[in-house]
Amino acid sequence: MARRTLIRAGFLFCVVAGLGLPASLWAKDISLTQVAAGVYVRSGAVQDATAANDDAIANIGFIVGHDAVAVIDPGGSAGDGARLRAQIKATTGLPIRYLIYTHVHPDHVLGAVAFADDHPLVVAHARFAAAWAERGAYYRQGLARILGGDLAQAGAKAGDALPPTQAVDTTADIDLGGRVLHLAAYGAAHTDSDLTVYDGQTRTLWAGDLLFQDRIPALDGSLTGWLTVLGQLKALPAVRVVPGHGPAQLPWPAGAADEERYLTTLARDVRALLKNGGDIDAAATTVARSERGRWKLFDAYNGRNAITAFKQLEWEDPS
């Protein structure tokens, strides 16, 4: 049974103020869901980033072992990361030794700056560093514009990544003391830097944005690759999964059904359009429309997904 805990603004004032962040970031009530023993999730808002939500839109959290804590995605801004760090300090006195990125997107990464004083081992996909070098400045500048204020203040609020100190090419294990986390890196799927975390002790899979629920999936990697990876993940012996967006947990593998249906529909409709001689403009307005009532933010992302899928699938062999 999931257990929810709440950390009130008074405690956050003490911890977050010590990080030198603006007072506007102190007074937020934040809830955690303990989805399994020692596995804590902060569910993100099913929204795009705004000044009001401080880019706290992704599911982030941490896992506690006997000796140490591993953060899994530090949040979408400096304030989001600071609040997560405060949650950890309120939950356990153990050191934060690991910080794990599930992929390169800013709503999962920019809060890392709040953990700099913990000097964690920063673990990421082997492709992460190159992807961040290509995109990091753009992500930070975009969020700074959303958060507002003068340029210096907005930049500080936006946050930043900490550079990876351990790159995962295929698999790696992290020992938190009596609790080993199994990390796996994948080829292009949601992005080209997707990494999952599996806790065998509780049979919990932390999927990052390889899994969306409620909020429409966003395609930034490979549609066919994503479907392949999803099939691989379904074969794991997990009983629950933490999606990158949506509720704190879902049953596994049943929790993959909605996303798999959407991605399959996207591929099927694009292939049908290509077979009938349709163009990319038609893809943006016609593909996967049957899914419209099933996903939040559908109108903001489905057209982009359809265009990306069209560009990828128009070159595949139809035989």
Side-chain angles (χ1 to χ4, degrees), residues 6-227:
L6 188 66
I7 298 178
R8 293 290 176 183
F11 178 81
L12 283 171
F13 181 95
C14 296
V15 177
V16 179
L19 298 176
L21 292 168
S24 61
L25 301 183
W26 299 345
K28 289 178 182 280
D29 286 352
I30 303 173
S31 61
L32 285 175
T33 300
Q34 185 174 351
V35 301
V39 182
Y40 297 86
V41 181
R42 194 295 314 276
S43 299
V46 185
Q47 303 168 1
D48 278 333
T50 66
N53 64 34
D54 201 28
D55 202 23
I57 63 173
N59 290 349
I60 62 177
F62 57 99
I63 298 177
V64 181
H66 292 315
D67 301 331
V69 175
V71 175
I72 306 178
D73 287 338
S77 64
D80 197 24
R83 291 187 295 273
L84 177 62
R85 186 174 184 271
Q87 290 172 319
I88 296 170
K89 297 299 182 182
T91 303
T92 177
L94 293 173
I96 300 169
R97 289 186 183 158
Y98 301 94
L99 190 156
I100 302 167
Y101 299 133
T102 63
H103 63 293
V104 76
H105 285 160
D107 52 324
H108 295 257
V109 168
L110 287 172
V113 67
F115 295 89
D117 289 345
D118 297 297
H119 305 289
L121 182 68
V122 181
V123 187
H125 191 288
R127 242 312 270 167
F128 180 95
W132 190 256
E134 294 167 1
R135 300 181 176 196
Y138 171 79
Y139 287 153
R140 293 188 71 244
Q141 291 165 8
L143 184 59
R145 287 192 295 270
I146 290 170
L147 296 182
D150 62 54
L151 185 60
Q153 182 186 38
K157 289 192 292 186
D160 204 350
L162 297 177
T165 52
Q166 179 177 340
V168 181
D169 288 298
T170 53
T171 61
D173 288 345
I174 288 176
D175 189 351
L176 301 181
R179 184 173 219 151
V180 176
L181 306 182
H182 305 285
L183 280 55
Y186 300 89
H190 167 61
T191 68
D192 67 353
S193 59
D194 296 309
L195 187 77
T196 59
V197 180
Y198 179 65
D199 173 34
Q201 181 170 313
T202 62
R203 297 175 66 188
T204 301
L205 171 65
W206 208 299
D209 279 6
L210 286 169
L211 185 66
F212 285 69
Q213 180 75 13
D214 298 336
R215 179 189 176 117
I216 187 170
L219 177 60
D220 189 28
S222 165
L223 176 55
T224 56
W226 197 344
L227 283 165

